[in-house]
Amino acid sequence: MREMDYEKAASVWLEKDKDSVHMEEDALKDKIFYWIVGEIT
């Protein structure tokens, strides 16, 4: 079995994350809350 290079994998995703669009924290929390409510009912 091949051993993973976790540092290299993490650096790839951190680099991709720098260019991604981020939501404001409150907007993200609202979106998560309403998704959960929608899944429950």
Side-chain angles (χ1 to χ4, degrees):
M1 184 173 192
R2 193 174 72 166
E3 190 169 323
M4 280 289 292
D5 183 356
Y6 293 104
E7 294 298 321
K8 184 176 179 183
S11 68
V12 168
W13 288 107
L14 289 171
E15 188 65 32
K16 286 185 178 197
D17 188 52
K18 284 197 289 187
D19 298 329
S20 66
V21 177
H22 295 264
M23 293 178 74
E24 293 293 324
E25 186 175 343
D26 290 337
L28 177 60
K29 287 180 180 178
D30 286 344
K31 198 164 206 57
I32 292 169
F33 173 78
Y34 288 112
W35 179 80
I36 290 171
V37 169
E39 290 293 311
I40 293 171
T41 57

